[in-house]
Amino acid sequence: MSGRNYGAQGQHMGLFSRGFNIDLMLVLATFFTVVIGILTIYSTDTTGSAGYVLRQSVAACVGAIGLLFLLLLPYQVFRAYVRPLYIFMILVLIGVLVFGSNLRGTRGWFHVGPVYIQSSEVVKITFVLTLAGFLDRRIQWHTPKSLVLPFIAAMLPIVLIIIQPDFSSSLVYFPVTLVMFYVAGARALHLLSICLVGGLAAGIPLVSTYFSLLGIGIKKHPVMYFFATSLKGGWAGLWLFLGICGALIITWWFLRKMRVYVPSLYLWVTLGLITAGILGAVATNRLIKVYQRKRLVAFVNPELDPLGGGYNVRQSQIAIGSGQILGKGYRKGTQSRLGFLPSRHTDFIFSVIGEELGFIRAMVVLGFYFLIVWRGFEISLVARDRFGGLIASGFAAMFAFYALLNLGMTMGMAPVAGVPLPMVSYGGSSVVSSMFAIGILLSIHWRRYML
Amino acid sequence: MWVGGNTDTFSEKRFRERVRVMSVLFAIGYSVIVLRLFHLQVVRGGDLAHLSESNRTQVIFLRAPRGDFLDRKGRVFVTNQPSWSLVYSVPEKSATARAAVENTLRPFLEPFPQYWMKRLQKAFESKQMVRLVENIPDRIAFLMREMEMLLPGLRVVMEFRRGYPLGLIAPHLIGYLGEVTEREIKGIIKPGDLIGKMGIERIQDEKLRGQDGGMMIEVDSVGRLKRVIKELPFQKGGDVHLTLDLDVQKAAEEGLQATVTRRGAAVAIDINTGAILAWASAPSFDPQGSLVEDLKDKHSPFLDRVYKGAYPPGSTFKIITAIAGFEKNMIRTSERVDCIGYVKLADSRGGERKYKCWKTHGSVDYWRAMAESCDTYFYLLGQKIGSQAIHEAALKFGYGQSVQDNLPGENKGVAPNANWKKKMGLGGWSTGDTYNMSIGQGFVTATPLQVAVMMIGVATHGRIQRPFAIESVVDVNGMVRFRTQPMLWRTIDLKDTTWAAIDRSLESVVTQGTGGATRIANLNVRGKTGTAQNPHGDDHAWFAGYAGYIDEKPSVAICVFIENGGHGGSVAAPIVRKMLEVALPPRNAADVAPIMAPPFPPAVTSAPAPQPGAPR
């Protein structure tokens, strides 16, 4: 990196010593984001009880204390304790399944005194730290085998979260995992095939939902009907699967007879992919709830289910659009205050910002958010070691995907996945863990020159 | 340069490259988000702002009450009364399945006709607000109010419906209201509105309809009222002042109800202006009830027999035959004809046919022939003057023509001649046809209105005012939006001697002849009975005439027709009498005092009811 010196420049132990080494931009962006979040939550509160605002503010304070602590804590400590940390995380996720409380249909909450703590939010931090620790040690990526162990290690907590079942929260883990593998140097081809299998696994139940939403019309077409029913699993699915595999084997054998030699590896990889995909599909089919699948389909084709999944997105788009350039004014959004906007203080909080503050101010909010992600990637570049770099890029990717998914959702460009906008959306656990992540980022930045 | 942990240079280089790739990918994704925000808020902002506005505001129409109907004395007999209706519109959010809605409602709507289910289906198909049941009693309305919570989209609304404080009066003339059909929607008429489907409700619909008001309210996402943004009061429609006299009308309707068949028509018209005093048709229908049942009635209660039903006018038509005779100078009033009960006529096949008179009158002159309605006299008179002359006289009085050319569905009746018969493909005109025509039988048909109009012509010596029922329509501000100017419809030029002779002979019908039932002490009543044979059943009873106070010009023309009712003199004439008694009430006590003569002449009262060849 030209213009910048990554070499050791000396030690800057004090917070405010020489050159003011704290990443001020990230601090300010975080501060404003949290404040804007609290103000917007206040705006969505039409009852005047201010309960949400209070709880969010308390969470922000807790988050700030944690941020300060993590800033002062040398992040390298975590590398020494990657394994205990990982075991702790798994225990937390299993523990929540056993001792956790049910909230909004998900057994993913610890009830501690007066507060509920969302396990998937706590795990967010440890997930990035432990995965960074695993990947830090791995430099050789020549065989798929080198990919497998850390990949399984990464999948375990994700699966545990899906079991809760909290599909929405697990969503962001996939891209974070992929990004961290990618920057750690894994072969793009391997990652691509992982994507392919994942896509197949997620895609098949979606296609079957799509067909089921199409409804009666499909029964008139026997072939389509066969596909639609077989996608739901069962015997028809098995026949379809065997049929496809058989066709592949026969084609390969036939080509061989024709003296066209295709390496058998390709055949096995293809068959493996299909098998994995189908198995994944059956698993996903069981774990993703019907309404969630419908929402994903509604994103692809909102006309299919206008009163269901499509409604939220439409109201959200109306809210944002009706804000126009200057907005309707703080606490004057009709879409949000009259209840047209769903989950207005959580997942759709940006719609309130768009409606009440207008394009210009919403752009400022987007700017702060961009700053957070951009600083995250920059910090991963200036980190003094591979471990810090991986952590920073993991957190940056996390914030990036939260932002893209959430903002895209409110504007009708991404499915309604139930993903919050970290530090803006209401949710204590989310605010605290996000600020923890910021604290670790700041720590990595602060310690960039330290030996 | 990584200084701690793993410090592989190659790995570090790749790490930096890939982080950079990721941040570039993120920047690209983020700029798409920014562009989308720009697109939504700046490009489509206006449209979406409009959508959010229509999200939050809802317009509630306040249906304006329709105008009232008043009679000539200012008595209100059609007005509005509040009533509950059950409406359903499929809610935008979370629609309940149709079967579920239907099953929930069924136990409550048991007492109502089944077609609310069809309407419910329509609501689901068209996604529009549909009235399920109208006019529901308070008890069920309150139950339904509670159902509103369970079934979003269901609403109990208060609407103004027609009320008839004095009972159902002249439903054929007034008409009824119905929900607007898709074809009728235009202008200010919205789906679900009630519009006039028949009668004056239909003809004057636009003026009767008020201006609907509205409330623009702010609602939340589940439709709860937050506040009223603006309110526009409704304006009641214009009142229709009719020329009807409710007393005469009631006499007519009660008279028709009291007959054997309860079918017929009665009309009374003010001779000087053409104003209709009574307009009744039976059987009748209930505009508030289920019209579906009425539609199935084989006696067609919706048929306004006053002007839509054409029947053989019978002996009332002898007036036309006589007029034709006088005009051709072919009647010498003293000339006598010997009535032996029938006239024989050779038919085309060489045989003979008897044309019967209703009794054997013996030797009759013109006066007695008219008073006692001798068919023989008129057979021979008709033969003498020819069918064409009778046809022409009939045309002069409006037979075979439209009297109310602004009313749809009017029956013009038939005033036949040889050409007409040929055109209809019924063959050549025969003397027998002339015989039948001269006593108002055969091909001749007329509506009760036409017969009444003929009487106006006779009473006024040929100055017929066009009949009308609407005097004016006055809106809430007192502005006259419509007024009927009495209009001369036609004049008929006849010799004075003809008028005098007809007048005198019609007087003798009442004083000495078949129309004795209409004799009233203080009035000069003239008229003609009719008992028309018809191929569909018993004879039709007719009485047509006019009356005025003694020593004054006649002022009221009346026609009463009873379908298959029997004798004109004994069935129709008493109704005319009752109508006249209220139309022209005694002016002072002296007039009331003695009713001298018995109203029914012996010849008529003693006549047994169903008898072939009864008085015509």
Side-chain angles (χ1 to χ4, degrees):
Chain A
M1 193 77 201
S2 62
R4 232 177 241 164
N5 191 348
Y6 295 105
Q9 291 271 309
Q11 292 187 333
H12 307 272
M13 291 301 288
L15 256 179
F16 299 102
S17 63
R18 220 179 100 196
F20 199 55
N21 264 317
I22 292 297
D23 191 338
L24 200 62
M25 238 196 278
L26 182 56
V27 172
L28 288 178
T30 306
F31 175 75
F32 283 121
T33 311
V34 171
V35 168
I36 287 165
I38 291 172
L39 288 176
T40 314
I41 290 164
Y42 177 63
S43 166
T44 60
D45 185 15
T46 48
T47 56
S49 65
Y52 288 145
V53 175
L54 211 68
R55 268 177 276 172
Q56 183 82 349
S57 306
V58 169
C61 291
V62 172
I65 293 165
L67 183 148
L68 209 62
F69 173 75
L70 288 166
L71 165 62
L72 295 172
L73 185 80
Y75 66 92
Q76 289 92 344
V77 170
F78 297 118
R79 182 163 46 190
Y81 298 106
V82 163
R83 279 164 209 273
L85 211 55
Y86 185 79
I87 292 166
F88 164 74
M89 172 170 75
I90 298 300
L91 284 179
V92 162
L93 285 175
I94 293 173
V96 83
L97 290 175
V98 182
F99 305 109
S101 312
N102 261 319
L103 223 66
R104 280 169 233 135
T106 300
R107 198 174 185 81
W109 303 75
F110 285 110
H111 193 178
V112 185
V115 289
Y116 284 90
I117 299 170
Q118 199 177 358
S119 58
S120 59
E121 291 294 337
V122 179
V123 167
K124 233 158 49 177
I125 306 295
T126 52
F127 180 82
V128 172
L129 291 177
T130 51
L131 191 57
F134 291 146
L135 294 175
D136 180 38
R137 292 160 196 193
R138 199 164 297 272
I139 297 184
Q140 302 301 316
W141 296 94
H142 300 302
T143 56
K145 219 194 279 177
S146 50
L147 192 83
V148 171
L149 269 177
F151 190 74
I152 289 172
M155 282 302 116
L156 184 59
I158 298 179
V159 168
L160 284 172
I161 290 170
I162 292 179
I163 287 174
Q164 287 182 357
D166 192 353
F167 184 68
S168 308
S169 298
S170 73
L171 262 182
V172 82
Y173 287 86
F174 296 106
V176 168
T177 309
L178 285 175
V179 168
M180 287 179 75
F181 269 87
Y182 179 68
V183 295
R187 287 180 68 176
L189 188 72
H190 296 159
L191 293 176
L192 218 65
S193 36
I194 289 173
C195 286
L196 207 68
V197 176
L200 215 59
I204 285 175
L206 283 188
V207 171
S208 78
T209 311
Y210 188 82
F211 279 132
S212 74
L213 280 174
L214 278 179
I216 323 145
I218 193 174
K219 286 190 177 158
K220 289 176 191 156
H221 310 285
V223 178
M224 296 288 275
Y225 186 64
F226 175 74
F227 273 101
T229 47
S230 58
L231 287 173
K232 287 176 184 157
W235 288 109
L238 191 65
W239 291 125
L240 182 71
F241 169 65
L242 291 178
I244 291 172
C245 291
L248 279 172
I249 293 168
I250 290 167
T251 313
W252 180 77
W253 178 78
F254 200 72
L255 285 173
R256 212 178 166 74
K257 286 276 160 192
M258 300 284 287
R259 297 183 188 280
V260 180
Y261 290 100
V262 181
S264 63
L265 181 71
Y266 283 91
L267 176 68
W268 297 123
V269 166
T270 318
L271 289 180
L273 277 179
I274 291 172
T275 314
I278 297 280
L279 288 178
V282 172
T284 342
N285 215 352
R286 298 277 149 82
L287 290 168
I288 306 182
K289 291 178 194 150
V290 176
Y291 76 90
Q292 286 172 322
R293 274 189 278 146
K294 277 191 178 174
R295 277 199 235 154
L296 291 171
V297 172
F299 166 67
V300 182
N301 191 351
E303 302 301 312
L304 279 183
D305 192 14
L307 299 175
Y311 176 83
N312 294 350
V313 178
R314 220 187 88 205
Q315 294 301 340
S316 168
Q317 281 175 279
I318 291 174
I320 293 175
S322 64
Q324 292 179 283
I325 296 173
L326 295 173
K328 290 178 183 168
Y330 182 60
R331 286 174 72 82
K332 283 181 185 150
T334 56
Q335 284 287 102
S336 98
R337 299 189 72 78
L338 294 172
F340 292 100
L341 203 59
S343 320
R344 57 181 190 265
H345 59 287
T346 55
D347 298 351
F348 283 96
I349 197 162
F350 184 75
S351 315
V352 181
I353 294 173
E355 183 184 21
E356 297 191 345
L357 304 184
F359 178 68
I360 294 171
R361 274 160 278 196
M363 278 301 293
V364 174
V365 176
L366 285 188
F368 285 133
Y369 226 90
F370 182 80
L371 223 55
I372 291 172
V373 177
W374 175 63
R375 286 315 302 164
F377 282 122
E378 283 303 306
I379 288 169
S380 85
L381 288 175
V382 300
R384 67 183 286 277
D385 50 21
R386 190 171 144 89
F387 181 59
L390 282 168
I391 294 172
S393 51
F395 283 139
M398 191 180 79
F399 282 117
F401 278 98
Y402 268 127
L404 290 176
L405 261 177
N406 180 279
L407 297 173
M409 168 186 80
T410 60
M411 298 182 209
M413 298 176 69
V416 182
V419 167
L421 190 60
M423 297 191 286
V424 182
S425 291
Y426 170 77
S429 313
S430 167
V431 169
V432 171
S433 73
S434 301
M435 289 177 81
F436 282 12
I438 299 284
I440 295 169
L441 280 178
L442 288 172
S443 171
I444 296 166
H445 180 260
W446 190 35
R447 282 161 230 280
R448 64 195 185 278
Y449 302 134
M450 294 175 193
L451 274 170
Chain B
M1 187 88 72
W2 289 336
V3 290
N6 242 316
T7 51
D8 181 88
T9 331
F10 173 71
S11 165
E12 185 180 349
K13 199 177 154 218
R14 190 153 64 174
F15 175 84
R16 291 190 197 295
E17 276 170 15
R18 290 190 166 188
V19 167
R20 214 151 284 287
V21 167
M22 287 329 291
S23 52
V24 168
L25 280 178
F26 168 72
I28 292 170
Y30 211 72
S31 43
V32 171
I33 294 281
V34 167
L35 282 176
R36 175 68 173 175
L37 187 70
F38 180 81
H39 178 72
L40 277 178
Q41 296 202 291
V42 181
V43 182
R44 287 180 60 199
D47 290 348
L48 291 172
H50 193 75
L51 272 179
S52 93
E53 197 59 19
S54 62
N55 243 351
R56 123 188 128 94
T57 54
Q58 209 178 64
V59 176
I60 293 180
F61 285 103
L62 299 174
R63 206 178 287 269
R66 286 172 79 85
D68 295 339
F69 281 83
L70 296 84
D71 86 335
R72 60 168 45 216
K73 288 169 185 161
R75 287 171 286 195
V76 178
F77 67 102
V78 178
T79 176
N80 302 285
Q81 65 184 37
S83 85
W84 301 108
S85 292
L86 191 65
V87 299
Y88 188 81
S89 58
V90 181
E92 200 177 327
K93 257 175 111 175
S94 68
T96 322
R98 185 171 67 86
V101 178
E102 199 174 294
N103 289 334
T104 319
L105 292 180
R106 188 176 293 128
F108 300 96
L109 301 183
E110 210 70 73
F112 297 97
Q114 295 286 303
Y115 47 74
W116 65 266
M117 293 181 199
K118 271 187 199 150
R119 295 189 177 174
L120 187 66
Q121 193 175 356
K122 204 176 118 196
F124 273 88
E125 281 162 5
S126 66
K127 306 273 181 220
Q128 278 176 347
M129 197 179 88
V130 167
R131 244 184 224 83
L132 297 182
V133 200
E134 305 171 338
N135 219 355
I136 49 181
D138 289 351
R139 192 179 54 82
I140 297 180
F142 291 134
L143 280 175
M144 286 295 134
R145 268 279 155 86
E146 287 168 18
M147 302 294 298
E148 286 179 358
M149 294 295 181
L150 290 169
L151 295 174
L154 187 79
R155 279 205 299 152
V156 178
V157 294
M158 203 200 74
E159 291 183 308
F160 283 111
R161 305 200 63 76
R162 274 308 193 201
Y164 304 87
L166 304 179
L168 288 178
I169 296 170
H172 294 91
L173 187 66
I174 304 300
Y176 62 91
L177 302 178
E179 205 162 308
V180 67
T181 63
E182 243 158 75
R183 275 191 314 168
E184 290 164 330
I185 294 172
K186 60 167 189 255
I188 59 164
I189 302 175
K190 305 174 292 294
D193 275 1
L194 295 174
I195 65 163
K197 294 281 187 181
M198 179 185 166
I200 295 172
E201 294 270 30
R202 177 176 168 187
I203 296 166
Q204 294 292 345
D205 185 69
E206 193 193 325
K207 295 185 184 73
L208 275 163
R209 171 184 302 283
Q211 268 185 355
D212 286 350
M215 260 202 299
M216 192 184 245
I217 57 172
E218 184 173 273
V219 294
D220 66 7
S221 56
V222 281
R224 279 182 303 228
L225 172 74
K226 288 287 175 186
R227 66 190 174 94
V228 177
I229 297 169
K230 77 179 173 194
E231 195 172 353
L232 186 78
F234 60 73
Q235 209 178 24
K236 192 188 169 201
D239 292 340
V240 173
H241 294 257
L242 292 180
T243 60
L244 288 191
D245 182 328
L246 287 192
D247 300 323
V248 186
Q249 178 72 25
K250 271 187 183 163
E253 288 180 7
E254 283 160 14
L256 292 178
Q257 278 307 308
T259 58
V260 188
T261 58
R262 296 185 181 182
R263 297 198 303 274
V267 59
I269 301 172
D270 183 331
I271 286 171
N272 299 315
T273 57
I276 290 163
L277 302 175
W279 181 290
S281 176
S284 175
F285 61 93
D286 180 359
Q288 287 173 306
S290 148
L291 300 174
V292 179
E293 295 302 310
D294 284 335
L295 276 170
K296 290 178 193 155
D297 194 326
K298 67 181 165 117
H299 292 308
S300 358
F302 286 103
L303 180 71
D304 188 344
R305 288 168 162 75
V306 176
Y307 78 108
K308 283 182 177 171
Y311 310 91
S315 301
T316 59
F317 196 73
K318 284 175 182 160
I319 297 167
I320 297 296
T321 312
I323 285 169
F326 282 119
E327 286 299 290
K328 289 194 105 182
N329 288 323
M330 283 181 178
I331 298 177
R332 258 173 292 151
T333 53
S334 56
E335 194 173 23
R336 287 185 169 270
V337 164
D338 199 27
C339 171
I340 55 166
Y342 59 86
V343 177
K344 270 189 191 164
L345 192 66
D347 67 17
S348 53
R349 289 185 299 271
E352 258 185 353
R353 212 192 128 178
K354 271 185 186 173
Y355 286 84
K356 282 185 185 166
C357 185
W358 64 282
K359 75 172 192 183
T360 309
H361 288 92
S363 170
V364 291
D365 62 359
Y366 165 75
W367 307 113
R368 228 190 112 202
M370 198 67 154
E372 293 183 16
S373 203
C374 175
D375 293 344
T376 308
Y377 184 90
F378 282 92
Y379 288 149
L380 300 175
L381 178 61
Q383 190 174 18
K384 197 152 71 175
I385 57 183
S387 64
Q388 186 59 27
I390 302 171
H391 168 75
E392 280 161 16
L395 288 189
K396 280 184 189 168
F397 282 84
Y399 283 94
Q401 298 148 62
S402 168
V403 179
Q404 288 287 2
D405 52 15
N406 56 346
L407 284 184
E410 181 177 10
N411 197 325
K412 291 177 184 171
V414 178
N417 64 357
N419 275 344
W420 176 87
K421 194 182 175 190
K422 206 187 283 172
K423 223 186 286 170
M424 297 299 287
L426 297 169
W429 192 268
S430 68
T431 313
D433 292 334
T434 309
Y435 276 12
N436 279 334
M437 182 178 180
S438 46
I439 62 159
Q441 297 276 173
F443 300 122
V444 191
T445 57
T447 64
L449 181 64
Q450 284 174 325
V451 176
V453 164
M454 171 189 76
M455 280 303 176
I456 298 176
V458 174
T460 56
H461 292 191
R463 293 183 59 79
I464 304 177
Q465 300 283 343
R466 182 191 286 284
F468 65 95
I470 303 169
E471 189 178 295
S472 58
V473 181
V474 182
D475 71 12
V476 275
N477 303 320
M479 293 273 289
V480 176
R481 303 262 321 267
F482 174 85
R483 182 185 286 285
T484 308
Q485 297 299 332
M487 195 180 83
L488 193 61
W489 183 47
R490 59 173 64 197
T491 53
I492 302 158
D493 261 340
L494 300 182
K495 289 185 287 195
D496 287 344
T497 50
T498 307
W499 293 124
I502 297 292
D503 202 53
R504 197 181 138 196
S505 57
L506 294 185
E507 186 177 10
S508 67
V509 169
V510 175
T511 54
Q512 310 156 26
T514 50
T518 61
R519 220 181 320 162
I520 300 169
N522 61 325
L523 301 180
N524 266 334
V525 183
R526 289 129 169 73
K528 182 75 194 78
T529 58
T531 304
Q533 291 178 333
N534 70 92
H536 307 297
D538 290 342
D539 297 345
H540 297 320
W542 288 90
F543 187 93
Y546 51 93
Y549 289 110
I550 289 168
D551 302 329
E552 281 181 23
K553 283 187 171 175
S555 55
V556 177
I558 284 192
C559 175
V560 170
F561 158 78
I562 310 297
E563 197 173 325
N564 309 125
H567 312 165
S570 60
V571 176
I575 299 172
V576 171
R577 178 192 173 82
K578 283 192 184 126
M579 289 166 72
L580 284 177
E581 277 170 352
V582 283
L584 300 169
R587 281 199 169 139
N588 51 54
D591 289 335
V592 192
I595 297 174
M596 294 162 296
F600 292 91
V604 175
T605 43
S606 65
Q611 171 199 349
R616 287 189 182 146

